[in-house]
PDB file of all heavy atoms in Angstrom:
ATOM      1  N   LEU Z   1      -4.877   6.057   2.023  1.00 94.00           N
ATOM      2  CA  LEU Z   1      -5.428   7.262   2.645  1.00 94.00           C
ATOM      3  C   LEU Z   1      -6.882   7.465   2.262  1.00 94.00           C
ATOM      4  O   LEU Z   1      -7.727   7.798   3.109  1.00 94.00           O
ATOM      5  CB  LEU Z   1      -4.596   8.480   2.213  1.00 94.00           C
ATOM      6  CG  LEU Z   1      -5.055   9.845   2.717  1.00 94.00           C
ATOM      7  CD1 LEU Z   1      -5.011   9.898   4.236  1.00 94.00           C
ATOM      8  CD2 LEU Z   1      -4.185  10.941   2.117  1.00 94.00           C
ATOM      9  N   ALA Z   2      -7.198   7.236   0.984  1.00 93.00           N
ATOM     10  CA  ALA Z   2      -8.574   7.426   0.524  1.00 93.00           C
ATOM     11  C   ALA Z   2      -9.530   6.463   1.215  1.00 93.00           C
ATOM     12  O   ALA Z   2     -10.655   6.837   1.598  1.00 93.00           O
ATOM     13  CB  ALA Z   2      -8.644   7.245  -0.994  1.00 93.00           C
ATOM     14  N   VAL Z   3      -9.117   5.215   1.395  1.00 95.00           N
ATOM     15  CA  VAL Z   3      -9.963   4.234   2.076  1.00 95.00           C
ATOM     16  C   VAL Z   3     -10.221   4.661   3.522  1.00 95.00           C
ATOM     17  O   VAL Z   3     -11.351   4.560   4.036  1.00 95.00           O
ATOM     18  CB  VAL Z   3      -9.309   2.839   2.022  1.00 95.00           C
ATOM     19  CG1 VAL Z   3      -9.986   1.885   2.991  1.00 95.00           C
ATOM     20  CG2 VAL Z   3      -9.385   2.274   0.607  1.00 95.00           C
ATOM     21  N   MET Z   4      -9.188   5.148   4.191  1.00 96.00           N
ATOM     22  CA  MET Z   4      -9.349   5.599   5.575  1.00 96.00           C
ATOM     23  C   MET Z   4     -10.280   6.809   5.667  1.00 96.00           C
ATOM     24  O   MET Z   4     -11.143   6.888   6.548  1.00 96.00           O
ATOM     25  CB  MET Z   4      -7.989   5.946   6.177  1.00 96.00           C
ATOM     26  CG  MET Z   4      -7.034   4.770   6.280  1.00 96.00           C
ATOM     27  SD  MET Z   4      -7.661   3.412   7.303  1.00 96.00           S
ATOM     28  CE  MET Z   4      -7.498   4.155   8.922  1.00 96.00           C
ATOM     29  N   GLN Z   5     -10.118   7.751   4.729  1.00 95.00           N
ATOM     30  CA  GLN Z   5     -10.951   8.955   4.758  1.00 95.00           C
ATOM     31  C   GLN Z   5     -12.412   8.649   4.446  1.00 95.00           C
ATOM     32  O   GLN Z   5     -13.308   9.335   4.937  1.00 95.00           O
ATOM     33  CB  GLN Z   5     -10.391   9.990   3.778  1.00 95.00           C
ATOM     34  CG  GLN Z   5      -9.055  10.591   4.231  1.00 95.00           C
ATOM     35  CD  GLN Z   5      -8.504  11.586   3.247  1.00 95.00           C
ATOM     36  OE1 GLN Z   5      -8.697  11.469   2.031  1.00 95.00           O
ATOM     37  NE2 GLN Z   5      -7.788  12.588   3.742  1.00 95.00           N
ATOM     38  N   ARG Z   6     -12.649   7.603   3.643  1.00 96.00           N
ATOM     39  CA  ARG Z   6     -14.030   7.211   3.335  1.00 96.00           C
ATOM     40  C   ARG Z   6     -14.628   6.323   4.419  1.00 96.00           C
ATOM     41  O   ARG Z   6     -15.799   5.974   4.355  1.00 96.00           O
ATOM     42  CB  ARG Z   6     -14.086   6.478   1.985  1.00 96.00           C
ATOM     43  CG  ARG Z   6     -13.765   7.352   0.773  1.00 96.00           C
ATOM     44  CD  ARG Z   6     -14.181   6.661  -0.524  1.00 96.00           C
ATOM     45  NE  ARG Z   6     -13.523   5.379  -0.706  1.00 96.00           N
ATOM     46  CZ  ARG Z   6     -12.417   5.181  -1.434  1.00 96.00           C
ATOM     47  NH1 ARG Z   6     -11.837   6.235  -2.033  1.00 96.00           N
ATOM     48  NH2 ARG Z   6     -11.880   3.984  -1.558  1.00 96.00           N
ATOM     49  N   GLY Z   7     -13.836   5.930   5.400  1.00 97.00           N
ATOM     50  CA  GLY Z   7     -14.324   5.075   6.465  1.00 97.00           C
ATOM     51  C   GLY Z   7     -14.608   3.657   6.015  1.00 97.00           C
ATOM     52  O   GLY Z   7     -15.466   2.981   6.585  1.00 97.00           O
ATOM     53  N   GLU Z   8     -13.865   3.178   5.010  1.00 95.00           N
ATOM     54  CA  GLU Z   8     -14.139   1.863   4.430  1.00 95.00           C
ATOM     55  C   GLU Z   8     -13.187   0.774   4.913  1.00 95.00           C
ATOM     56  O   GLU Z   8     -13.307  -0.379   4.494  1.00 95.00           O
ATOM     57  CB  GLU Z   8     -14.086   1.954   2.901  1.00 95.00           C
ATOM     58  CG  GLU Z   8     -15.144   2.876   2.300  1.00 95.00           C
ATOM     59  CD  GLU Z   8     -14.995   3.019   0.795  1.00 95.00           C
ATOM     60  OE1 GLU Z   8     -14.010   2.476   0.241  1.00 95.00           O
ATOM     61  OE2 GLU Z   8     -15.846   3.684   0.166  1.00 95.00           O
ATOM     62  N   TRP Z   9     -12.227   1.107   5.772  1.00 95.00           N
ATOM     63  CA  TRP Z   9     -11.257   0.094   6.182  1.00 95.00           C
ATOM     64  C   TRP Z   9     -11.869  -0.827   7.228  1.00 95.00           C
ATOM     65  O   TRP Z   9     -12.394  -0.386   8.249  1.00 95.00           O
ATOM     66  CB  TRP Z   9     -10.016   0.771   6.760  1.00 95.00           C
ATOM     67  CG  TRP Z   9      -8.899  -0.178   7.044  1.00 95.00           C
ATOM     68  CD1 TRP Z   9      -8.347  -1.086   6.205  1.00 95.00           C
ATOM     69  CD2 TRP Z   9      -8.188  -0.295   8.284  1.00 95.00           C
ATOM     70  NE1 TRP Z   9      -7.338  -1.770   6.815  1.00 95.00           N
ATOM     71  CE2 TRP Z   9      -7.208  -1.308   8.102  1.00 95.00           C
ATOM     72  CE3 TRP Z   9      -8.273   0.345   9.521  1.00 95.00           C
ATOM     73  CZ2 TRP Z   9      -6.320  -1.691   9.110  1.00 95.00           C
ATOM     74  CZ3 TRP Z   9      -7.394  -0.029  10.528  1.00 95.00           C
ATOM     75  CH2 TRP Z   9      -6.426  -1.041  10.327  1.00 95.00           C
ATOM     76  N   SER Z  10     -11.783  -2.122   6.976  1.00 94.00           N
ATOM     77  CA  SER Z  10     -12.367  -3.104   7.892  1.00 94.00           C
ATOM     78  C   SER Z  10     -11.302  -3.897   8.641  1.00 94.00           C
ATOM     79  O   SER Z  10     -11.633  -4.808   9.404  1.00 94.00           O
ATOM     80  CB  SER Z  10     -13.269  -4.076   7.118  1.00 94.00           C
ATOM     81  OG  SER Z  10     -12.534  -4.726   6.087  1.00 94.00           O
ATOM     82  N   GLY Z  11     -10.050  -3.556   8.438  1.00 95.00           N
ATOM     83  CA  GLY Z  11      -8.989  -4.253   9.158  1.00 95.00           C
ATOM     84  C   GLY Z  11      -7.908  -4.767   8.227  1.00 95.00           C
ATOM     85  O   GLY Z  11      -8.068  -4.803   7.002  1.00 95.00           O
ATOM     86  N   TRP Z  12      -6.799  -5.192   8.831  1.00 94.00           N
ATOM     87  CA  TRP Z  12      -5.639  -5.656   8.078  1.00 94.00           C
ATOM     88  C   TRP Z  12      -5.946  -6.930   7.312  1.00 94.00           C
ATOM     89  O   TRP Z  12      -6.705  -7.791   7.785  1.00 94.00           O
ATOM     90  CB  TRP Z  12      -4.490  -5.908   9.054  1.00 94.00           C
ATOM     91  CG  TRP Z  12      -3.235  -6.388   8.399  1.00 94.00           C
ATOM     92  CD1 TRP Z  12      -2.252  -5.633   7.841  1.00 94.00           C
ATOM     93  CD2 TRP Z  12      -2.814  -7.756   8.242  1.00 94.00           C
ATOM     94  NE1 TRP Z  12      -1.250  -6.421   7.348  1.00 94.00           N
ATOM     95  CE2 TRP Z  12      -1.559  -7.736   7.573  1.00 94.00           C
ATOM     96  CE3 TRP Z  12      -3.381  -8.983   8.586  1.00 94.00           C
ATOM     97  CZ2 TRP Z  12      -0.862  -8.893   7.258  1.00 94.00           C
ATOM     98  CZ3 TRP Z  12      -2.676 -10.148   8.273  1.00 94.00           C
ATOM     99  CH2 TRP Z  12      -1.437 -10.105   7.616  1.00 94.00           C
ATOM    100  N   ALA Z  13      -5.367  -7.041   6.110  1.00 95.00           N
ATOM    101  CA  ALA Z  13      -5.506  -8.265   5.319  1.00 95.00           C
ATOM    102  C   ALA Z  13      -4.174  -8.555   4.633  1.00 95.00           C
ATOM    103  O   ALA Z  13      -3.472  -7.630   4.215  1.00 95.00           O
ATOM    104  CB  ALA Z  13      -6.612  -8.108   4.276  1.00 95.00           C
ATOM    105  N   PRO Z  14      -3.804  -9.827   4.498  1.00 96.00           N
ATOM    106  CA  PRO Z  14      -2.480 -10.181   3.968  1.00 96.00           C
ATOM    107  C   PRO Z  14      -2.207  -9.684   2.560  1.00 96.00           C
ATOM    108  O   PRO Z  14      -1.044  -9.453   2.203  1.00 96.00           O
ATOM    109  CB  PRO Z  14      -2.488 -11.715   4.021  1.00 96.00           C
ATOM    110  CG  PRO Z  14      -3.492 -12.057   5.055  1.00 96.00           C
ATOM    111  CD  PRO Z  14      -4.554 -11.017   4.955  1.00 96.00           C
ATOM    112  N   THR Z  15      -3.250  -9.529   1.751  1.00 95.00           N
ATOM    113  CA  THR Z  15      -3.028  -9.156   0.353  1.00 95.00           C
ATOM    114  C   THR Z  15      -3.544  -7.757   0.012  1.00 95.00           C
ATOM    115  O   THR Z  15      -3.628  -7.405  -1.160  1.00 95.00           O
ATOM    116  CB  THR Z  15      -3.717 -10.187  -0.564  1.00 95.00           C
ATOM    117  OG1 THR Z  15      -5.120 -10.216  -0.257  1.00 95.00           O
ATOM    118  CG2 THR Z  15      -3.117 -11.561  -0.392  1.00 95.00           C
ATOM    119  N   ALA Z  16      -3.878  -6.970   1.024  1.00 94.00           N
ATOM    120  CA  ALA Z  16      -4.442  -5.642   0.760  1.00 94.00           C
ATOM    121  C   ALA Z  16      -3.338  -4.606   0.520  1.00 94.00           C
ATOM    122  O   ALA Z  16      -2.323  -4.593   1.214  1.00 94.00           O
ATOM    123  CB  ALA Z  16      -5.313  -5.205   1.933  1.00 94.00           C
ATOM    124  N   PHE Z  17      -3.539  -3.779  -0.456  1.00 94.00           N
ATOM    125  CA  PHE Z  17      -2.677  -2.626  -0.759  1.00 94.00           C
ATOM    126  C   PHE Z  17      -1.209  -3.005  -0.901  1.00 94.00           C
ATOM    127  O   PHE Z  17      -0.322  -2.320  -0.388  1.00 94.00           O
ATOM    128  CB  PHE Z  17      -2.830  -1.538   0.322  1.00 94.00           C
ATOM    129  CG  PHE Z  17      -4.231  -1.058   0.503  1.00 94.00           C
ATOM    130  CD1 PHE Z  17      -4.942  -1.383   1.648  1.00 94.00           C
ATOM    131  CD2 PHE Z  17      -4.857  -0.306  -0.480  1.00 94.00           C
ATOM    132  CE1 PHE Z  17      -6.242  -0.956   1.809  1.00 94.00           C
ATOM    133  CE2 PHE Z  17      -6.155   0.125  -0.323  1.00 94.00           C
ATOM    134  CZ  PHE Z  17      -6.858  -0.202   0.816  1.00 94.00           C
ATOM    135  N   LEU Z  18      -0.965  -4.089  -1.606  1.00 95.00           N
ATOM    136  CA  LEU Z  18       0.415  -4.524  -1.778  1.00 95.00           C
ATOM    137  C   LEU Z  18       1.148  -3.607  -2.759  1.00 95.00           C
ATOM    138  O   LEU Z  18       0.749  -3.459  -3.913  1.00 95.00           O
ATOM    139  CB  LEU Z  18       0.455  -5.962  -2.284  1.00 95.00           C
ATOM    140  CG  LEU Z  18      -0.113  -7.027  -1.333  1.00 95.00           C
ATOM    141  CD1 LEU Z  18       0.009  -8.401  -1.962  1.00 95.00           C
ATOM    142  CD2 LEU Z  18       0.605  -6.979   0.012  1.00 95.00           C
ATOM    143  N   GLY Z  19       2.213  -3.002  -2.287  1.00 95.00           N
ATOM    144  CA  GLY Z  19       3.065  -2.182  -3.143  1.00 95.00           C
ATOM    145  C   GLY Z  19       4.364  -2.896  -3.411  1.00 95.00           C
ATOM    146  O   GLY Z  19       4.425  -4.132  -3.410  1.00 95.00           O
ATOM    147  N   GLY Z  20       5.400  -2.123  -3.658  1.00 94.00           N
ATOM    148  CA  GLY Z  20       6.696  -2.718  -3.948  1.00 94.00           C
ATOM    149  C   GLY Z  20       7.783  -2.160  -3.054  1.00 94.00           C
ATOM    150  O   GLY Z  20       7.745  -0.989  -2.666  1.00 94.00           O
ATOM    151  N   ARG Z  21       8.754  -2.972  -2.716  1.00 96.00           N
ATOM    152  CA  ARG Z  21       9.893  -2.558  -1.903  1.00 96.00           C
ATOM    153  C   ARG Z  21      10.841  -1.724  -2.761  1.00 96.00           C
ATOM    154  O   ARG Z  21      11.115  -2.052  -3.918  1.00 96.00           O
ATOM    155  CB  ARG Z  21      10.603  -3.796  -1.372  1.00 96.00           C
ATOM    156  CG  ARG Z  21      11.829  -3.516  -0.521  1.00 96.00           C
ATOM    157  CD  ARG Z  21      12.479  -4.821  -0.086  1.00 96.00           C
ATOM    158  NE  ARG Z  21      11.582  -5.594   0.780  1.00 96.00           N
ATOM    159  CZ  ARG Z  21      11.757  -6.862   1.075  1.00 96.00           C
ATOM    160  NH1 ARG Z  21      12.784  -7.533   0.556  1.00 96.00           N
ATOM    161  NH2 ARG Z  21      10.918  -7.495   1.876  1.00 96.00           N
ATOM    162  N   LEU Z  22      11.367  -0.646  -2.183  1.00 96.00           N
ATOM    163  CA  LEU Z  22      12.298   0.195  -2.935  1.00 96.00           C
ATOM    164  C   LEU Z  22      13.687  -0.427  -3.035  1.00 96.00           C
ATOM    165  O   LEU Z  22      14.346  -0.323  -4.075  1.00 96.00           O
ATOM    166  CB  LEU Z  22      12.419   1.577  -2.286  1.00 96.00           C
ATOM    167  CG  LEU Z  22      11.227   2.524  -2.385  1.00 96.00           C
ATOM    168  CD1 LEU Z  22      11.622   3.912  -1.915  1.00 96.00           C
ATOM    169  CD2 LEU Z  22      10.709   2.595  -3.815  1.00 96.00           C
ATOM    170  N   GLY Z  23      14.139  -1.046  -1.960  1.00 97.00           N
ATOM    171  CA  GLY Z  23      15.484  -1.600  -1.935  1.00 97.00           C
ATOM    172  C   GLY Z  23      15.743  -2.544  -3.089  1.00 97.00           C
ATOM    173  O   GLY Z  23      14.961  -3.463  -3.338  1.00 97.00           O
ATOM    174  N   GLY Z  24      16.840  -2.322  -3.807  1.00 97.00           N
ATOM    175  CA  GLY Z  24      17.218  -3.178  -4.926  1.00 97.00           C
ATOM    176  C   GLY Z  24      16.678  -2.736  -6.274  1.00 97.00           C
ATOM    177  O   GLY Z  24      17.115  -3.239  -7.307  1.00 97.00           O
ATOM    178  N   ARG Z  25      15.741  -1.799  -6.282  1.00 98.00           N
ATOM    179  CA  ARG Z  25      15.202  -1.335  -7.569  1.00 98.00           C
ATOM    180  C   ARG Z  25      16.179  -0.368  -8.239  1.00 98.00           C
ATOM    181  O   ARG Z  25      17.002   0.279  -7.584  1.00 98.00           O
ATOM    182  CB  ARG Z  25      13.855  -0.647  -7.372  1.00 98.00           C
ATOM    183  CG  ARG Z  25      12.755  -1.576  -6.925  1.00 98.00           C
ATOM    184  CD  ARG Z  25      11.399  -0.939  -7.096  1.00 98.00           C
ATOM    185  NE  ARG Z  25      10.337  -1.840  -6.667  1.00 98.00           N
ATOM    186  CZ  ARG Z  25       9.066  -1.713  -7.022  1.00 98.00           C
ATOM    187  NH1 ARG Z  25       8.696  -0.711  -7.803  1.00 98.00           N
ATOM    188  NH2 ARG Z  25       8.156  -2.571  -6.601  1.00 98.00           N
ATOM    189  N   ARG Z  26      16.036  -0.255  -9.564  1.00 98.00           N
ATOM    190  CA  ARG Z  26      16.870   0.656 -10.338  1.00 98.00           C
ATOM    191  C   ARG Z  26      16.152   1.986 -10.530  1.00 98.00           C
ATOM    192  O   ARG Z  26      15.042   2.029 -11.051  1.00 98.00           O
ATOM    193  CB  ARG Z  26      17.183   0.059 -11.711  1.00 98.00           C
ATOM    194  CG  ARG Z  26      18.092  -1.157 -11.686  1.00 98.00           C
ATOM    195  CD  ARG Z  26      18.330  -1.662 -13.104  1.00 98.00           C
ATOM    196  NE  ARG Z  26      19.298  -2.738 -13.146  1.00 98.00           N
ATOM    197  CZ  ARG Z  26      19.685  -3.350 -14.263  1.00 98.00           C
ATOM    198  NH1 ARG Z  26      19.157  -2.993 -15.428  1.00 98.00           N
ATOM    199  NH2 ARG Z  26      20.585  -4.313 -14.209  1.00 98.00           N
ATOM    200  N   LEU Z  27      16.806   3.059 -10.113  1.00 98.00           N
ATOM    201  CA  LEU Z  27      16.292   4.406 -10.305  1.00 98.00           C
ATOM    202  C   LEU Z  27      17.093   5.082 -11.402  1.00 98.00           C
ATOM    203  O   LEU Z  27      18.315   5.212 -11.295  1.00 98.00           O
ATOM    204  CB  LEU Z  27      16.414   5.214  -9.002  1.00 98.00           C
ATOM    205  CG  LEU Z  27      16.164   6.721  -9.109  1.00 98.00           C
ATOM    206  CD1 LEU Z  27      14.707   7.013  -9.480  1.00 98.00           C
ATOM    207  CD2 LEU Z  27      16.554   7.429  -7.818  1.00 98.00           C
ATOM    208  N   GLY Z  28      16.409   5.550 -12.448  1.00 98.00           N
ATOM    209  CA  GLY Z  28      17.055   6.281 -13.521  1.00 98.00           C
ATOM    210  C   GLY Z  28      16.736   7.761 -13.401  1.00 98.00           C
ATOM    211  O   GLY Z  28      15.572   8.156 -13.505  1.00 98.00           O
ATOM    212  N   ILE Z  29      17.747   8.573 -13.169  1.00 98.00           N
ATOM    213  CA  ILE Z  29      17.571  10.008 -12.984  1.00 98.00           C
ATOM    214  C   ILE Z  29      17.853  10.714 -14.300  1.00 98.00           C
ATOM    215  O   ILE Z  29      18.956  10.601 -14.851  1.00 98.00           O
ATOM    216  CB  ILE Z  29      18.481  10.547 -11.864  1.00 98.00           C
ATOM    217  CG1 ILE Z  29      18.139   9.865 -10.535  1.00 98.00           C
ATOM    218  CG2 ILE Z  29      18.359  12.060 -11.744  1.00 98.00           C
ATOM    219  CD1 ILE Z  29      19.084  10.221  -9.400  1.00 98.00           C
TER     220      ILE Z  29
END
């Protein structure tokens, strides 16, 4: 969101902003 608001996004890239998938992770409540 910050990159978009600053007008710095130049397009999609394979390794940009890689996060993690939730499925299969352990959640401790």
Side-chain angles (χ1 to χ4, degrees):
L1 177 62
V3 166
M4 297 300 287
Q5 290 179 328
R6 293 194 301 264
E8 297 176 355
W9 187 52
S10 57
W12 180 86
T15 59
F17 303 109
L18 296 181
R21 179 182 296 165
L22 289 190
R25 293 195 180 199
R26 292 180 174 180
L27 169 66
I29 299 174

